[in-house]
Amino acid sequence: MAMTTVEEHDVGISCFISNIPGFRGILKQRYSDFIVNEVARDGTVVQLSTLDAPEEEPESFQENGTNTSDAVVSYASQIESFKSLAGESDAVLLEEFISKINAGGEDSVSPIVLSPDSDKSHRKAMHNFFKENFKFLVTDVVDGPDASSKCIRVRLNSAEPNNKGKNSKKRKERGDKPFDSRGSEDWPENVGKFLRFYLYKENKDTQEALGVIGNMLGIQPKSFGFSGTKDKRAVTTQRVTVYKQRASRLASLNKRLFGIKLGDFCYVKEALCLGQLLGNRFTITLRGIVADSEDTIKASAEALGKHGFINYFGLQRFGSGSVPTHLIGAALLRGEWRLAVDLILDPRDGDILFTVSIIFSKARKYYKESNDVVGTLKQLPRYMVAERAVLQTLKMSPGNYLQALKSIPRTLRMLYVHSYQSYLWNHAASKRVQKYGTELVLGDLVYCKENSTGKVTELVGSEYAEDCGDRYDSNNDEVLEDVHEEIKSDVKAVDAEDLNSGSYTIDDVILPMPGSRVNYPTNHIASVYEDLAKKDGISLTESMHNVEEFSITSITGCYRRVFQKPINFEWELLTYTDNNTQLVETDLDKINKSKPMNTVKPMGAVNEKKEEAFDGIRELESSNDGAKVENYNEIAGEEVKLSHDESLGGSDSQDPHIALKLSFTLPASCYATMAIRELLKTSTSVSTQFEKSCLFLLVLNLNI
């Protein structure tokens, strides 16, 4: 492939709302410059306020001193034995299946189908293994991908609710249901079975943080429930639930945790699931502002607050490598299983650009040249989940590319399809802005205002955009089905009467994420979807194969606003002289109150050197210096080697620098980077930011 990294124009990102000139600034110079607080569905901003457990634990805890890790049925050893019998891929699939049952979803968990097996004696051994080790499960045989193979299907033994196992009651109460080291029989009936807490983390992704906590508690990360993952290079606060754990036990971990804090504990009846949030509150600080004047900065900030930005899916949606994930999604929709596998496994032109990707490049190149599955697996890090899952299946079933793709965890493999939907949506949004600007026109899609469910639909349309394509996702199955029935009936095309009445504005315009249950605009924008899909060899109305989860006719689709205004938008200009100065308080700072920030002054307090600061940096205006500068390795997915107190520019200069502090809320699945893009009028691509960051550092070092 010619491209080495994904550029904005490759995925349909090409327009801005306003013609106001942008300016330059540094995003995420410190990870505390990017603060994210989850917003719950009731509108509450999730903010860490205490690290202590409730003063009064439920009496039952105090009386019996229950340790939540006691009396646990563990299946770790059985799964390990199963791995030697069936292989790692099927063992992982079984472990995930048991985990879903463990999470309380026994009434909705779908059966799993193991890898094809043409050896009847081996299948018999598998059946016997389940009978002896997993009495709460039953197995049968279904046809495999070809006439000569069969597959073992595994499902819950719903016909035998009274089946008993070691140290068990009836299965409905406890039975052989695995608790994944999470529960206790002695949990008091008057206490919610889930402990909800606020997870505060610094410079860590959500899964990494939960992995650390899980190791300390002796439970797996999948034991936790949360509404969505948060940025890594940031300071974030979000809600998390865990099954039958005591608040005091989690609170005691705080003294051992680094960059992670737990607090605001309470017991609830239900676990959190993906998508159960209204959005996120962002507090973003852009440092080292370079602009012609203060007026330019103010005009851009006010325009963002008033008009918003084009609600593109950001580049994060399409991956950081040279093979955008939407190309893999297109191959899946066409039913080209081998091509999809090749796109996942083949060497990539852009890999060599990234320090962390040299390992990936070497492993991919080795597999391409040798076709040695075992040798490649030894080279691949375990966190390369998709690649390892594919290779593990190909190791057991050479040439079974469909089964290899299905071995990738569902949420991950469906992201490929969602990425292609996002690719079409971005192009349609750009065409809408190019052709019609910011005026409401005939044929635009809007939510019907006369329907009382319109407001609910509006929130859901944004909130579930991350998962709107997959009606088979066990986390969102029921919600998505109900929501999209409402969405379709509540959407209409703008007619002449609507234009004359002024009932709708440009803020109401939506565009569909392609699927079987969405409407398309009745103007020229509808052809964008059809033409692009046709160019990629994809039909948006007919299935091209019989694999439902990768079929466009089995994807429901949803809607997304074309223009998004930041909610409760606030901005402030600050000055600072030390690049290591923390400019905004985090939740933890507010609790500790140990780091006063008296060196930060409002913009109005800048002395006569303010104009000199602009003069001193104006000479950079002729360069292509970037607005958003990040450490290159961090963009590529590698952990940045800077500590919290280090910055890109050092702190030798005592000249005043300008910073822009932004605070706003966005619905879930909206990208803050797209808001910053509109503000600064610059690309967010990796290659662009790398070039500009290098130039910024060069000039800064020369000035110092």
Side-chain angles (χ1 to χ4, degrees), residues 12 14-15 310 312 427-437 525:
S14 59
C15 297
I310 303 171
Y312 288 123
H427 278 281
S430 288
K431 189 65 174 180
R432 169 63 181 76
V433 175
Q434 290 167 3
K435 191 170 184 65
Y436 301 120
I525 307 307

Side-chain angles (χ1 to χ4, degrees), residues 66 73 271 277 451 494 572:
T66 298
V73 176
L277 75 166
N451 193 306
V494 171
E572 180 183 7

Side-chain angles (χ1 to χ4, degrees), residues 364-427:
R364 287 191 174 110
K365 184 177 180 181
Y366 176 81
Y367 177 71
K368 183 72 173 180
E369 295 174 350
S370 68
N371 204 35
D372 178 7
V373 172
V374 176
T376 306
L377 283 169
K378 290 180 180 178
Q379 297 183 39
L380 284 176
R382 290 198 171 274
Y383 52 81
M384 293 187 70
V385 177
E387 290 85 350
R388 290 187 62 87
V390 166
L391 287 171
Q392 289 285 4
T393 301
L394 292 179
K395 175 184 173 182
M396 294 185 297
S397 304
N400 194 339
Y401 298 106
L402 175 58
Q403 189 64 30
L405 291 165
K406 285 188 172 184
S407 69
I408 300 172
R410 177 177 293 277
T411 52
L412 179 55
R413 68 180 182 256
M414 290 311 299
L415 282 179
Y416 298 133
V417 177
H418 295 168
S419 178
Y420 186 76
Q421 292 174 288
S422 305
Y423 165 79
L424 294 181
W425 191 97
N426 276 359
H427 278 281

Side-chain angles (χ1 to χ4, degrees), residues 665-689:
T665 299
L666 294 178
S669 90
C670 291
Y671 289 76
T673 52
M674 294 296 99
I676 301 301
R677 173 184 179 273
E678 177 69 34
L679 180 74
L680 303 178
K681 300 297 190 297
T682 188
S683 171
T684 58
S685 72
V686 171
S687 58
T688 299
Q689 300 313 317

Side-chain angles (χ1 to χ4, degrees), residues 222-295:
K222 62 183 70 176
S223 306
F224 299 97
F226 53 90
S227 300
T229 57
K230 307 301 178 192
D231 301 75
K232 176 178 180 178
R233 186 157 176 80
V235 176
T236 71
T237 307
Q238 66 185 108
R239 299 162 302 153
V240 178
T241 55
V242 64
Y243 187 70
K244 289 186 177 180
Q245 292 286 338
R246 294 175 55 182
S248 57
R249 188 177 183 207
L250 269 73
S252 68
L253 302 180
N254 280 320
K255 58 188 176 183
R256 298 160 51 197
L257 290 167
F258 178 76
I260 303 171
K261 295 298 176 187
L262 315 176
D264 295 80
F265 304 95
C266 68
Y267 296 97
V268 295
K269 295 181 179 180
E270 302 291 337
L272 282 170
C273 295
L274 290 174
Q276 292 182 340
L277 75 166
L278 191 64
N280 295 287
R281 180 74 179 170
F282 296 90
T283 304
I284 299 173
T285 305
L286 300 172
R287 294 175 182 255
I289 296 296
V290 178
D292 291 328
S293 67
E294 278 184 50
D295 290 339

Side-chain angles (χ1 to χ4, degrees), residues 110-357:
S110 301
I112 59 172
V113 178
L114 304 181
S115 302
D117 190 349
S118 57
D119 186 342
K120 186 174 182 180
S121 61
H122 183 259
R123 293 199 303 269
K124 182 177 180 180
M126 297 270 281
H127 289 304
N128 290 333
F129 186 88
F130 276 94
K131 289 179 182 178
E132 295 171 3
N133 295 278
F134 301 105
K135 298 183 185 300
F136 59 97
L137 301 175
V138 292
T139 58
D140 57 9
V141 175
V142 296
D143 290 334
D146 53 67
S148 63
S149 65
K150 300 288 184 180
C151 297
I152 291 179
R153 180 173 59 182
V154 184
R155 55 186 172 82
L156 270 170
N157 187 5
S158 56
E160 296 291 341
N162 295 325
N163 216 357
K164 295 184 179 182
K166 184 179 180 181
N167 299 325
S168 298
K169 299 178 180 179
K170 291 182 180 180
R171 193 182 65 80
K172 277 192 174 181
E173 302 172 24
R174 166 103 184 248
D176 288 299
K177 176 181 174 181
F179 278 84
D180 194 23
S181 304
R182 300 185 305 168
S184 167
E185 290 186 57
D186 301 321
W187 194 265
E189 293 184 1
N190 62 331
V191 178
K193 294 183 179 181
F194 294 90
L195 174 66
R196 190 186 71 197
F197 61 94
Y198 289 177
L199 168 64
Y200 169 96
K201 61 183 182 62
E202 299 176 348
N203 203 29
K204 291 177 174 59
D205 62 39
T206 302
Q207 294 287 8
E208 177 187 359
L210 294 180
V212 171
I213 299 167
N215 284 338
M216 289 184 172
L217 294 174
I219 61 178
Q220 296 187 21
K222 62 183 70 176
S223 306
F224 299 97
F226 53 90
S227 300
T229 57
K230 307 301 178 192
D231 301 75
K232 176 178 180 178
R233 186 157 176 80
V235 176
T236 71
T237 307
Q238 66 185 108
R239 299 162 302 153
V240 178
T241 55
V242 64
Y243 187 70
K244 289 186 177 180
Q245 292 286 338
R246 294 175 55 182
S248 57
R249 188 177 183 207
L250 269 73
S252 68
L253 302 180
N254 280 320
K255 58 188 176 183
R256 298 160 51 197
L257 290 167
F258 178 76
I260 303 171
K261 295 298 176 187
L262 315 176
D264 295 80
F265 304 95
C266 68
Y267 296 97
V268 295
K269 295 181 179 180
E270 302 291 337
L272 282 170
C273 295
L274 290 174
Q276 292 182 340
L277 75 166
L278 191 64
N280 295 287
R281 180 74 179 170
F282 296 90
T283 304
I284 299 173
T285 305
L286 300 172
R287 294 175 182 255
I289 296 296
V290 178
D292 291 328
S293 67
E294 278 184 50
D295 290 339
T296 298
I297 304 171
K298 293 178 179 178
S300 296
E302 289 172 357
L304 177 62
K306 182 178 180 180
H307 303 295
F309 57 96
I310 303 171
N311 196 22
Y312 288 123
F313 289 95
L315 290 179
Q316 305 99 302
R317 182 77 160 186
F318 305 96
S320 60
S322 62
V323 179
T325 52
H326 75 273
L327 295 183
I328 302 174
L332 294 175
L333 290 172
R334 290 192 299 266
E336 297 178 356
W337 316 129
R338 180 164 187 170
L339 175 59
V341 168
D342 288 342
L343 289 172
I344 293 171
L345 296 179
D346 278 358
R348 302 179 180 183
D349 294 339
D351 277 353
I352 196 66
L353 291 175
F354 310 108
T355 302
V356 71
S357 295

